[in-house]
Amino acid sequence: MSQAKKVTGIHVKGIGKYVPEMVATNEDFAKIVDTSDEWITQRTGIKTRHITNGEPTYYLGAKAAKAAIADAGISPEDIDLIITATVTPDFFTPSTACLIQREIGAVGSMAIDINCACTGFDYGIDMARRYLLAEDGVDTVLLIAAEELSKFTDYTDRSSCILFGDGSAAFVLERKKDTLYSSYLGADGTGAKFLVSRAMRSENAFRTNKEEFDMDMPATKAHYFTQDGKEVYKFATRTLPIAVEKACEKAGIAPEDLDAIVPHQANVRIIETAAKNLGVSMDKMVVYIDRYGNTSSASIPIAFCDAVAEGRIRRGDKVCLVGFGGGLTYAGIVFEY
Ligand code: UT7
């Protein structure tokens, strides 16, 4: 039996999620691209995904934030810092965190966006904990992951459009002394070209040089998302078990000591392979990809919220949130709920 290390970690005071009302089924996709419910279900595990009917990212984020604030029993003025993880902001500026702050009335808080793709919620927890650790005026953090992936989805590309959904989830975090906590975060920019959504190229008034400086990045249709599914699949199946193992090792526990593992929900086959490689049963893996598809940074906290609502994760449980995605990035966070 391993000995868990006690450190200053996080207390998850409240949680909340929000997904748009509109739902697209696999059959709906079969009407717009050459695909079938059978292919999507067998290759990905996805059955439905929620898609916005025009609601922007910050709107989804504010809805989840309000739910988490209510669950925590605090008022918006108690929040010292808002961190929003998103790869689908509505504006380059203002940040999504500032727009959410305005929506929820968290007067006086700091507000910052982070972009770590599907790993954003894990990176956000680690960042929140480091602010809390400093004991320098930040005592309550609102961490939100909000994604409207449908706005960068190419609905003519059957290999990617069937994967994505929209949604948001949020945690209210406080400092907790003498508790279980560890993080293992990493990035591998050599794999940057495998998951891409392009921003703007410079067309400034003085430009004469038409040479592109990102020759190793794929050509894309405007800002639409493109990925090398096979490369990402290999990366995910390799890094997911490593991130769990390393985070557990730092926390002084073994993966089998965890009550639940909440992985990024990209493909059920990736999760099944990771469970096998970790030697843990699929009962420990929290999987709701059938309902929501891949919602990037929001997928881990949305799955966490559903697991709590259904009693699969309870107070005091040892949990690992494990992500992988664009960047490439990977991360594991171990904590006690
Ligand atoms: O959060 C972002 C992280 N992203 C990921 O984790 C994605 C990781 N990758 C994957 O999950 C899988 O690679 C995909 C689900 C994207 C694709 O599954 P796959 O088993 O790797 O399929 P494939 O790309 O090898 O394609 C197999 C066949 C191809 O046809 P041919 O060439 O064998 O005739 C594709 O054209 O399936 C075809 N195909 C489809 N068929 C029906 C691709 N997409 C579809 C589709 N419906 N939607």
Side-chain angles (χ1 to χ4, degrees):
M1 184 69 185
S2 35
Q3 189 58 45
K5 289 179 197 151
K6 299 281 180 183
V7 296
T8 299
I10 52 160
H11 169 56
V12 181
K13 198 173 169 72
I15 60 172
K17 78 159 211 260
Y18 179 77
V19 289
E21 266 172 46
M22 195 163 73
V23 172
T25 64
N26 291 346
E27 287 78 12
D28 292 329
F29 277 85
K31 290 177 198 149
I32 59 168
V33 286
D34 182 14
T35 191
S36 63
D37 174 47
E38 192 192 3
W39 192 96
I40 301 171
T41 306
Q42 281 179 6
R43 299 289 183 119
T44 70
I46 300 166
K47 293 299 256 181
T48 59
R49 63 297 275 152
H50 291 249
I51 295 183
T52 64
N53 200 1
E55 309 92 298
T57 299
Y58 82 85
Y59 175 91
L60 307 179
K63 285 274 197 187
K66 283 179 187 167
I69 289 166
D71 188 47
I74 62 166
S75 65
E77 298 85 37
D78 297 327
I79 295 159
D80 302 308
L81 169 64
I82 300 175
I83 303 172
T84 303
T86 185
V87 284
T88 49
D90 305 307
F91 301 91
F92 284 130
T93 189
S95 68
T96 308
C98 281
L99 292 169
I100 293 172
Q101 187 215 40
R102 185 183 69 169
E103 283 297 301
I104 65 174
V107 187
S109 67
M110 295 188 279
I112 185 170
D113 278 10
I114 58 170
N115 177 343
C116 315
C118 311
T119 324
F121 204 75
D122 280 39
Y123 267 74
I125 290 182
D126 186 68
M127 195 170 157
R129 187 253 183 170
R130 289 175 197 275
Y131 268 99
L132 293 166
L133 211 56
E135 299 200 31
D136 186 24
V138 174
D139 299 315
T140 305
V141 181
L142 172 65
L143 170 63
I144 307 141
E147 302 286 7
E148 190 194 2
L149 295 179
S150 56
K151 73 183 164 210
F152 83 176
T153 299
D154 177 358
Y155 286 98
T156 64
D157 174 13
R158 69 174 181 173
S159 70
S160 68
C161 71
I162 49 102
L163 301 172
F164 300 119
D166 300 330
S168 178
F171 282 10
V172 172
L173 298 169
E174 291 179 341
R175 182 184 310 110
K176 185 174 176 187
K177 305 219 170 180
D178 297 318
T179 188
L180 181 77
Y181 180 88
S182 78
S183 65
Y184 174 77
L185 311 180
D188 176 11
T190 62
K193 64 184 171 192
F194 297 137
L195 278 160
V196 174
S197 162
R198 189 176 288 279
M200 295 163 77
R201 295 182 195 273
S202 173
E203 293 299 344
N204 73 62
F206 306 101
R207 181 172 178 178
T208 53
N209 181 5
K210 293 294 171 197
E211 188 189 339
E212 297 301 346
F213 286 88
D214 59 358
M215 297 303 283
D216 195 34
M217 298 298 278
T220 59
K221 210 160 136 193
H223 64 282
Y224 291 114
F225 174 83
T226 180
Q227 74 172 346
D228 185 329
K230 289 220 179 311
E231 284 297 334
V232 181
Y233 194 93
K234 278 193 276 177
F235 168 77
T237 47
R238 193 176 69 246
T239 51
L240 212 153
I242 294 173
V244 176
E245 275 164 358
K246 295 278 188 190
C248 284
E249 196 182 307
K250 279 177 82 176
I253 63 170
E256 54 266 32
D257 298 330
L258 292 165
D259 297 297
I261 298 172
V262 188
H264 170 48
Q265 319 267 306
N267 189 324
V268 74
R269 292 186 295 138
I270 293 174
I271 299 170
E272 285 164 355
T273 307
K276 204 164 136 224
N277 292 343
L278 279 166
V280 301
S281 96
M282 271 302 279
D283 295 347
K284 255 189 203 184
M285 308 299 269
V286 171
V287 187
Y288 293 109
I289 191 170
D290 53 326
R291 299 177 188 175
Y292 305 111
N294 179 348
T295 55
S296 191
S297 68
S299 89
I300 291 173
I302 287 175
F304 188 93
C305 286
D306 277 16
V308 170
E310 293 175 15
R312 287 183 63 191
I313 295 179
R314 296 190 177 87
R315 283 287 176 191
D317 278 359
K318 296 183 190 70
V319 183
C320 180
L321 309 184
V322 57
F324 59 86
L328 300 170
T329 52
Y330 50 93
I333 302 275
V334 167
F335 69 103
E336 196 177 286
Y337 177 51

